[in-house]
Amino acid sequence: SLLPLSKEEKSALEKLFKCLDTKIDFSRIFKYGENLIYCKNLEFIPEKHIFSCGVKIGEFSKNYITPHHSFFKCFGENFKNKIEISENDIDTQKYLRGECINADIPDGWCVITFNGLVLGGGKAVSGTIKNHYPKGLRIT
């Protein structure tokens, strides 16, 4: 069952969405367990047997949202900070292995793209992108 957002969750979402260059409709964001879910289409959401009813934005804990991989993939084109990596770039292999990469961008959340497609996300801190590529997708 989807629950409305608390004041603290809305505040944390506003901070998170500063990384985007578009406005998000907060009336389409709900809480499901500890996860915040963005539901673009609310026409039909059955009570039981739902695999997914929207995009997982992230997990809310201690007035902070840790973004989920789906958030980066869904909203990637709307991110202010983007890092484009290429096939022969050493950063491509580093990112796919889950390692940090260097980039001269402002601090905050960013997306990593390859040939214009969003691979995933990271957090820029002092010229270093802290990797948020899911462990299950990483190469060894």
Side-chain angles (χ1 to χ4, degrees):
S1 54
L2 301 174
L3 302 172
L5 300 175
S6 70
K7 197 183 298 185
E8 294 81 11
E9 290 162 339
K10 285 181 182 177
S11 176
L13 280 168
E14 286 174 357
K15 289 178 189 174
L16 175 64
F17 288 153
K18 286 182 180 180
C19 67
L20 303 177
D21 60 9
T22 189
K23 295 230 181 232
I24 302 298
D25 183 0
F26 278 77
S27 69
R28 301 204 175 271
I29 300 174
F30 299 92
K31 185 172 182 175
Y32 183 76
E34 294 303 314
N35 299 307
L36 301 178
I37 307 291
Y38 175 77
C39 299
K40 186 173 183 178
N41 186 351
L42 297 173
E43 298 300 318
F44 175 71
I45 299 177
E47 287 296 316
K48 296 182 179 181
H49 309 293
I50 298 176
F51 176 72
S52 176
C53 65
V55 174
K56 184 175 177 180
I57 295 171
E59 188 172 319
F60 177 77
S61 178
K62 300 178 185 172
N63 295 329
Y64 183 79
I65 297 172
T66 303
H68 189 267
H69 183 64
S70 297
F71 172 72
F72 295 113
K73 296 288 285 182
C74 180
F75 294 100
E77 66 184 36
N78 299 319
F79 270 74
K80 293 176 185 174
N81 293 328
K82 297 177 187 172
I83 307 297
E84 175 73 21
I85 54 180
S86 63
E87 186 175 353
N88 297 324
D89 191 346
I90 191 160
D91 285 340
T92 302
Q93 292 299 314
K94 288 173 70 173
Y95 183 76
L96 293 174
R97 285 194 303 264
E99 299 172 17
C100 293
I101 58 176
N102 295 320
D104 187 24
I105 63 170
D107 288 357
W109 295 106
C110 66
V111 291
I112 312 301
T113 61
F114 180 82
N115 291 334
L117 298 173
V118 175
L119 288 178
K123 187 165 188 179
V125 179
S126 302
T128 300
I129 307 297
K130 310 261 182 187
N131 198 316
H132 280 260
Y133 196 60
K135 291 180 180 166
L137 298 178
R138 295 177 183 176
I139 60 174
T140 54

